Amino acid sequence: MDIIDDLKYRGLINQVSDEEALREVLKKPTTFYCGFDPTANSLHAGNLLVIVIMMRLQRAGHHPIALVGGGTGMIGDPSGRSTERQLNTKEVVASYADSLKKQLDHFLHFNEGNATFANNAEWLNKLSTIEFLRDVGKYFTLNYMLSKDSVQTRLESGISFTEFSYMLLQSFDYLNLYEKKGCRMQIGGSDQWGNITAGLELIRKRGHEEQAFAMTFPLITKSDGTKFGKSMGGAIWLDPERTTPYEWYQFWINASDDDVVNFLKYFTFLTKDEIEALAKEVAEHPEERKAQKALAREMTILVHGEESLKQAEHISQALFSGNVAQLSGAEIKQGFKDVPTYQAPRNEPVKLLDLLVEAGVTSSKRQAREDITNGAIYVNGVRRTDLQDVLTEEDRINNTYIIIRRGKKKYTLIQF
C-alpha cells in the first residue's frame, strides 16, 4: 500500500487539504515539515506520534524538515490551551531548542542527507514589525483569523495580541520553507489545522502556483478518556534522565487491552499482518499480554536502543520474581527511582531491627519485631526472620544499596 493508505490503516490521518492531489505529489520525493515548540528541554511521548509519522514519510522516500520554534517559542501557541503560556527568556528558549535538535536527530539523522533541521529564530528574529505587517499581516482579515478554532476557544477567557498573532508567524514559516526549501506539505496534530491552513492561504495569496498541502493526525487519548502520554508521575519524557528507560518500558507494557492494538498501529513499524496477529492474541489470550510486550519492546528500542531494552526487561523480571539481588547498581537506580529512599548516616554494620525503624519501613520497633517474626521482611529478595540479624557490607549490592521489601510490594531503598 502507498504511504497515504498505510497512514489511513493506522488511523493516523485526521484531515488533509486535497487528498487526490497529494497522492499524486507523493508519488515523487516530496519535502514536508513539522514544527516543535521548545517549551521544555525534552520532547515527550505525545510528541512521538508526529516523529514516527515523519519517519514513515522519510522511509517512503520523502524529505522531512524538523522545525524547532526558537522564534515562535518566544510567543506561545494558543492552540489547545485555555490560558496564556508563561513566556520564557530568549536564553531558555535557545537552550531548549538545542536539546530538541539532539533528540530529533536520534530519529531523523540530519547528517545523512535526507532530513533537515531548521530553527525559525533564524528568520523570525530578523523580521521587523513593519515587514511583518506589510508582507504577512495584510493577507489576513480579522474575520478569517477569528474563525479559527484556536482563537474561537479563547475568546471568552481572553487572548492577547501576542498569541493571536502566532497563526501569522507560523504561516510565515510555511511560506519561508516553501520558497527556500521547496517544502510542499506541513503536518501536525489536529489542533494545528487552523494554523497550517493559514499557511496555505498565505502561500496562495503570495501568488505561488505550485500547490501546497496540509495534513493533520488525530490527538491521541486512551480508551478510558485520559490524556495519552501522562502517568501518575506526570509527563513521559524521551530524555532518559527525566523518564528512565525502565519507566518508559513500563509505560508501554501497561497499555490496556483496549488501547494496545491502536498503539501498535500508531507508534510501531510492525506490518499489518504482524499487528493483526497480535490483535488476535489480545482477543484469544489476553492474559499472556503478547501485544503489550511487543509494544514495549518496539518503543524502547526505538527511543533508547537494544541495551536499554535488555536492562528494562531484566529489571522487570527481577521485580516480578523478587530476585532483586541480581540487579546492577545502574539497574537499581532505574527500577527504584520513585521508591522511598533512605540515606544511611553511617557506613558500618547495622541491626535490621533498628534499620527498619530508622528508614521508615515500620513505624516502631514493636511493629518491626512483628514483621520480622511473621516473615514479612525481605532483604535483597531474601526473607529475614532473625530478630538479631545484622546487615553488613556483604549485604550491599554494588557496595551501595540494600533493598528492603515489606510484604508483597512495599519497597524501601537503603543507600550507603
Side-chain angles (χ1 to χ4, degrees):
M1 66 179 79
D2 69 13
I3 185 62
I4 294 290
D5 289 333
D6 183 51
L7 292 174
K8 281 192 167 186
Y9 161 70
R10 295 174 183 277
L12 291 176
I13 294 182
N14 188 66
Q15 296 156 300
V16 59
S17 54
D18 186 339
E19 183 179 326
E20 187 176 344
L22 180 60
R23 281 182 183 273
E24 282 301 311
V25 168
L26 292 179
K27 288 180 179 178
K28 297 179 180 179
T30 302
T31 299
F32 67 97
Y33 95 95
C34 182
F36 301 85
D37 264 350
T39 55
N41 67 351
S42 173
L43 298 168
H44 51 74
N47 300 123
L48 191 61
L49 184 65
V50 71
I51 295 172
V52 170
I53 292 172
M54 294 177 81
M55 293 174 70
R56 294 188 198 284
L57 287 161
Q58 184 181 36
R59 292 183 181 192
H62 305 294
H63 182 102
I65 300 174
L67 177 71
V68 169
T72 45
M74 298 289 295
I75 300 300
D77 184 0
S79 302
R81 294 183 62 87
S82 58
T83 58
E84 293 273 329
R85 291 182 187 272
Q86 182 175 340
L87 300 182
N88 290 314
T89 65
K90 188 175 182 179
E91 292 73 23
V92 167
V93 172
S95 70
Y96 287 171
D98 287 341
S99 296
L100 300 198
K101 179 182 179 181
K102 292 173 186 174
Q103 286 191 332
L104 290 164
D105 183 54
H106 171 78
F107 301 100
L108 301 174
H109 311 295
F110 299 126
N111 293 328
E112 296 182 11
N114 194 36
T116 301
F117 174 82
N119 185 333
N120 63 18
E122 294 175 20
W123 54 84
L124 292 183
N125 286 356
K126 300 173 185 176
L127 187 65
S128 72
T129 305
I130 298 301
E131 285 178 308
F132 174 66
L133 293 174
R134 284 178 58 88
D135 298 340
V136 182
K138 72 174 183 176
Y139 292 103
F140 293 93
T141 66
L142 197 59
N143 288 344
Y144 176 86
M145 296 178 70
L146 287 170
S147 69
K148 298 296 184 179
D149 288 342
S150 59
V151 174
Q152 281 281 327
T153 55
R154 289 284 297 279
L155 288 179
E156 279 193 31
S157 60
I159 182 171
S160 69
F161 176 75
T162 299
E163 289 199 358
F164 184 62
S165 65
Y166 184 96
M167 180 193 312
L168 305 188
L169 294 173
Q170 185 167 323
S171 300
F172 185 70
D173 286 343
Y174 198 170
L175 175 68
N176 188 69
L177 293 174
Y178 176 94
E179 292 179 340
K180 295 182 178 178
K181 302 287 186 181
C183 182
R184 299 286 304 278
M185 178 172 69
Q186 183 182 358
I187 66 171
S190 59
D191 62 336
Q192 291 296 310
W193 180 251
N195 290 335
I196 297 174
T197 53
L200 298 183
E201 185 79 356
L202 180 59
I203 290 169
R204 183 182 67 80
K205 287 187 174 180
R206 288 286 289 259
H208 293 288
E209 294 182 4
E210 200 169 41
Q211 187 177 0
F213 299 90
M215 181 192 292
T216 63
F217 52 85
L219 298 180
I220 305 302
T221 56
K222 294 192 236 181
S223 57
D224 62 6
T226 58
K227 190 172 182 178
F228 172 79
K230 299 280 187 180
S231 71
M232 293 296 288
I236 304 298
W237 301 96
L238 272 58
D239 184 342
E241 296 299 318
R242 301 187 68 168
T243 297
T244 67
Y246 168 72
E247 290 172 312
W248 178 262
Y249 177 87
Q250 287 296 311
F251 171 74
W252 296 101
I253 206 167
N254 286 320
S256 71
D257 290 343
D258 292 331
D259 287 323
V260 67
V261 175
N262 281 336
F263 289 174
L264 286 166
K265 290 179 180 179
Y266 296 157
F267 294 101
T268 77
F269 291 91
L270 298 179
T271 65
K272 181 179 179 180
D273 288 345
E274 289 171 327
I275 291 170
E276 290 181 353
L278 288 168
K280 186 177 179 183
E281 290 289 341
V282 173
E284 296 178 0
H285 307 287
E287 72 284 354
E288 294 183 9
R289 298 185 69 78
K290 288 184 179 179
Q292 283 87 348
K293 291 173 184 176
L295 176 66
R297 183 171 59 249
E298 292 293 319
M299 300 318 300
T300 305
I301 291 174
L302 176 67
V303 176
H304 298 296
E306 293 269 5
E307 281 305 309
S308 291
L309 171 65
K310 290 177 184 176
Q311 274 197 335
E313 290 179 330
H314 188 222
I315 295 168
S316 299
Q317 187 275 331
L319 290 175
F320 179 77
S321 66
N323 188 15
V324 293
Q326 64 181 289
L327 296 175
S328 68
E331 289 171 335
I332 289 172
K333 193 173 180 181
Q334 277 197 60
F336 292 86
K337 178 183 172 185
D338 295 322
V339 164
T341 301
Y342 175 69
Q343 187 69 49
R346 56 187 179 273
N347 194 23
E348 58 189 43
V350 58
K351 285 188 67 174
L352 175 60
L353 188 66
D354 294 334
L355 185 59
L356 292 177
V357 179
E358 291 172 11
V361 179
T362 61
S363 57
S364 65
K365 281 195 175 181
R366 176 184 173 184
Q367 184 64 57
R369 290 189 189 96
E370 286 184 14
D371 287 343
I372 293 172
T373 303
N374 293 334
I377 299 298
Y378 296 77
V379 175
N380 298 336
V382 178
R383 179 181 279 136
R384 300 291 185 98
T385 57
D386 185 354
L387 291 174
Q388 304 306 315
D389 209 347
V390 175
L391 304 185
T392 67
E393 285 188 21
E394 292 182 359
D395 292 297
R396 299 176 198 168
I397 301 172
N398 202 43
N399 202 35
T400 304
Y401 303 107
I402 289 177
I403 300 168
I404 294 179
R405 174 161 61 93
R406 181 187 180 205
K408 291 185 177 181
K409 292 184 178 180
K410 185 182 177 184
Y411 284 97
T412 301
L413 182 64
I414 312 299
Q415 185 169 342
F416 290 85

